[in-house]
Amino acid sequence: MNEVSNTQLETPFGKVLITCLEEQEVEYIFGIPGVHTVELYRYLGNSTIRHITPRHEQGAGFMADGYARVSGKPGVCFLITGPGLTNALTPMAQARADSIPMVVISTVNPESTGRNHFGRLHELPDQTGLLRKLAVFHHRMDDPECLTEVMNEAFNWHRSNRPGPVHIEIPLDVISTRIRKVSLAVEARIESSSRHEIDGIVKACQKAKRISIIAGGGATGSGVLIASLSERLDAPLITTINARGIGKGNDLSVPLSPSLECTRTLLEESDLVIALGTEFGPTDYNIYKSLPKIRFKSLIRVDIDENQLLKGPKADIAVCSDIDGFLKHLMELLPTTTRNHGGRARARQAIEEVKSILSPEEMNYINIIHAIQKELPGSILVGDSNQISYAGNLYCHIYRDIGWFNAATGYGALGYSVPAAIGASLADPRAPLVCLVGDGGFQFTLAEMGTAVDEEVPVNFVVFNNQGYGEIKNYMLDQGIEPIGVDPSPPDFEHIARAYRVSFARVRSPKQLINILKHPIQDRWPRLIEYVERA
């Protein structure tokens, strides 16, 4: 009987990698193939995974971000060594700031030459060191036999840690090897809250008369449980930007920024505040940098990241747990009777106050946001760093979980919304998608219109054209600075639409915009709408 050779028992590295991705139920990979990554593509064609080709690696990263937010699963990128990876650093930084799960797989020059400036293709002085600073989890795949274990850890990271961009880099002398060790994916074990902690919180809830709840980005995915807790405790539910949509506009929903005085008053007048998955960062809680710290009478904080609980306001009770596990445990022990301590009146008062605080221009944008959702039920609105996003971040009702997100706070990247909307549409093809972008930000990533056409994503790209960087221009004027560099000429958007073979409309009022949007997109094809804000 002939012996089986070692080679026959081994499996190509690339094939095992694709198998691992399939086991993790990866639907899409975002990336641009290059000579350093072709071995990652050798077995992709026969897999269940669909490859999406952006026009720039920055687009790949933002598409992965948008996909991850809507699907709840990590967005995955394949990137080449050097420039492909550095092009995606901005999306990775945005994902880290907003705690968005992303798995970035790149190649890297071999250790023996990668740091010695030999003039190798795509060489960086220290690619590994660069990514270790940015990624929440980084692994250099020097030992190919560790592949399946590393992939399991990468995909399970967001289940038991604060999510963010995970990076796996594969040296070029490893990518073509064969490996023996192939194992199945392993589910992460998630630590939840203890009975002792829950008992203390139950007692605090029973004692308090005016409870409020804050839901942050770490609470997304637990909207039903949070809304139920809000109802049972008769507690106004305040949602930060990345949690907007939790509560779906019910009577206890308070979709107001904690940077607004009316929201802060609501919190300070509460005798108990329960904060779920929020870092208390200044872009949510003090964007104007003019307000003192919120004075909490009693604060309970729940977060999956133990280190995060040590930052920001000190909690009377701090619980390190995933939000879902904590809420299920708490709801089992809380009395089932619904309280009545005037929570709805408190929520309603805060919302009425904000309407008198915001400017007519801000309220105009907010009315547009509300009108879009009325005409497009279940819609997802993806914004850029622009004026309508800033207004909506201060206040807007959103009627679905993950129905509102943008790059206007946190890392604050321009050009985010176009590729992120594409990724979001791939995650939920049935949801009406509206991309809200300014003419300045649109020019950062307008080439991704080509990707939208290739992938036939039915996204409404709405470009608010004020002939430049209007938000920055207004800020310079407010600071007594002569506006310089804020009037870049926009392209003719009708010709842009024609170049990408998509339908086009030009509108000059909210009514005209809504009249266009209420007509469904035909044949799963993107649509470009220019909203002219200034002649």
Side-chain angles (χ1 to χ4, degrees):
M1 185 174 182
N2 294 332
E3 291 187 3
V4 179
S5 69
N6 286 338
T7 301
Q8 289 175 294
L9 291 172
E10 295 172 344
T11 307
F13 181 95
K15 186 174 184 179
V16 177
L17 176 64
I18 297 301
T19 300
C20 288
L21 295 174
E22 288 179 316
E23 289 173 353
Q24 296 291 346
E25 299 181 349
V26 172
E27 297 177 284
Y28 301 99
I29 289 174
F30 304 93
I32 300 174
V35 294
H36 279 187
T37 57
V38 290
E39 285 300 326
L40 299 179
Y41 287 81
R42 185 180 294 276
Y43 301 96
L44 185 59
N46 293 324
S47 75
T48 58
I49 302 169
R50 180 173 160 192
H51 185 268
I52 308 295
T53 306
R55 301 306 186 261
H56 190 281
E57 286 90 356
Q58 179 172 273
F62 285 145
M63 287 176 199
D65 176 300
Y67 170 83
R69 292 184 196 242
V70 174
S71 71
K73 301 189 294 185
V76 181
C77 297
F78 276 0
L79 302 174
I80 64 165
T81 321
L85 187 57
T86 55
N87 282 344
L89 290 182
T90 294
M92 291 178 71
Q94 184 77 47
R96 177 156 187 154
D98 288 351
S99 301
I100 304 304
M102 183 186 295
V103 176
V104 176
I105 300 171
S106 79
T107 48
V108 65
N109 281 307
E111 183 76 20
S112 59
T113 59
R115 296 185 181 179
N116 295 324
H117 304 283
F118 284 0
R120 291 285 298 269
L121 180 65
H122 304 327
E123 184 177 275
L124 276 172
D126 185 2
Q127 177 175 302
T128 301
L130 176 66
L131 270 296
R132 277 180 179 152
K133 295 286 187 181
L134 180 57
V136 295
F137 168 78
H138 168 87
H139 184 87
R140 181 185 172 105
M141 193 70 65
D142 289 312
D143 180 5
E145 295 295 331
C146 295
L147 175 59
T148 53
E149 288 87 347
V150 171
M151 293 296 286
N152 285 334
E153 186 170 3
F155 277 88
N156 285 322
W157 177 271
H158 72 285
R159 297 187 178 109
S160 52
N161 300 276
R162 185 178 181 181
V166 167
H167 179 235
I168 300 170
E169 62 180 2
I170 307 166
L172 293 177
D173 55 356
V174 171
I175 197 170
S176 298
T177 59
R178 302 174 75 89
I179 60 179
R180 297 174 61 90
K181 197 173 180 181
V182 181
S183 59
L184 297 176
V186 179
E187 187 81 7
R189 180 174 173 266
I190 299 175
E191 296 293 336
S192 191
S193 46
S194 70
R195 175 64 185 260
H196 174 74
E197 292 168 328
I198 295 293
D199 285 344
I201 293 171
V202 170
K203 290 177 182 177
C205 290
Q206 290 174 323
K207 181 181 177 182
K209 300 297 183 184
R210 295 163 68 89
I211 303 175
S212 291
I213 298 171
I214 306 173
T220 57
S222 301
V224 173
L225 285 170
I226 293 171
S228 296
L229 178 66
S230 172
E231 289 282 345
R232 191 176 299 185
L233 297 179
D234 191 31
L237 172 57
I238 298 160
T239 47
T240 66
I241 297 163
N242 285 331
R244 202 63 60 81
I246 292 176
K248 298 182 177 65
N250 67 26
D251 291 342
L252 286 165
S253 178
V254 185
L256 306 180
S257 168
S259 291
L260 296 166
E261 289 192 33
C262 57
T263 316
R264 298 165 75 89
T265 298
L266 176 61
L267 292 170
E268 291 186 342
E269 290 180 349
S270 301
D271 52 7
L272 176 62
V273 173
I274 303 173
L276 305 170
T278 178
E279 65 178 351
F280 286 94
T283 52
D284 266 314
Y285 288 82
N286 198 3
I287 194 169
Y288 302 115
K289 304 176 185 177
S290 60
L291 298 171
K293 293 180 180 178
I294 299 173
R295 298 181 298 275
F296 295 101
K297 289 184 174 68
S298 182
L299 176 63
I300 295 169
R301 291 186 65 182
V302 186
D303 201 285
I304 199 169
D305 185 351
E306 187 173 14
N307 291 326
Q308 198 60 51
L309 292 170
L310 302 175
K311 304 173 185 177
K314 185 178 180 180
D316 297 275
I317 302 176
V319 181
C320 184
S321 170
D322 73 294
I323 304 301
D324 223 48
F326 166 80
L327 290 172
K328 288 175 181 176
H329 200 171
L330 177 62
M331 293 292 281
E332 289 174 357
L333 297 178
L334 277 175
T336 56
T337 53
T338 300
R339 298 156 48 108
N340 184 4
H341 289 299
R344 284 169 171 77
R346 294 164 58 213
R348 186 166 56 250
Q349 180 180 349
I351 292 172
E352 288 305 314
E353 285 182 18
V354 80
K355 292 177 182 178
S356 64
I357 293 172
L358 299 178
S359 69
E361 182 182 33
E362 288 168 329
M363 285 306 304
N364 180 59
Y365 285 130
I366 291 164
N367 290 335
I368 290 173
I369 293 166
H370 290 162
I372 289 173
Q373 293 178 92
K374 181 179 179 181
E375 292 297 336
L376 301 175
S379 56
I380 300 173
L381 281 66
V382 183
D384 214 74
S385 188
N386 58 355
Q387 290 172 303
I388 189 170
S389 296
Y390 277 108
N393 287 346
L394 291 175
Y395 161 57
C396 70
H397 286 284
I398 300 297
Y399 298 96
R400 63 163 284 167
D401 289 347
I402 324 295
W404 171 266
F405 57 90
N406 55 69
T409 57
Y411 196 63
L414 270 171
Y416 167 86
S417 61
V418 172
I422 294 170
S425 185
L426 290 169
D428 188 352
R430 294 173 295 179
L433 244 297
V434 183
C435 171
L436 305 171
V437 61
D439 58 291
F442 183 68
Q443 292 179 75
F444 274 57
T445 49
L446 70 80
E448 301 307 345
M449 289 289 293
T451 310
V453 170
D454 286 349
E455 303 305 329
E456 299 181 357
V457 290
V459 177
N460 292 283
F461 294 99
V462 182
V463 182
F464 289 81
N465 185 4
N466 60 16
Q467 305 285 314
Y469 300 128
E471 182 75 21
I472 303 303
K473 186 172 186 176
N474 290 341
Y475 184 80
M476 295 175 82
L477 290 168
D478 290 342
Q479 300 301 311
I481 300 170
E482 180 185 355
I484 297 173
V486 291
D487 296 303
S489 299
D492 184 320
F493 291 107
E494 184 173 6
H495 283 79
I496 293 292
R498 188 179 303 164
Y500 284 108
R501 304 177 302 283
V502 302
S503 63
F504 174 80
R506 180 177 289 117
V507 299
R508 299 179 184 274
S509 70
K511 183 178 180 180
Q512 289 177 333
L513 173 61
I514 300 306
N515 282 339
I516 295 293
L517 289 174
K518 71 182 181 182
H519 291 96
I521 290 179
Q522 301 297 318
D523 301 323
R524 296 193 53 77
W525 205 252
R527 175 165 61 189
L528 181 60
I529 304 169
E530 178 186 8
Y531 186 111
V532 180
E533 295 195 285
R534 189 178 71 185

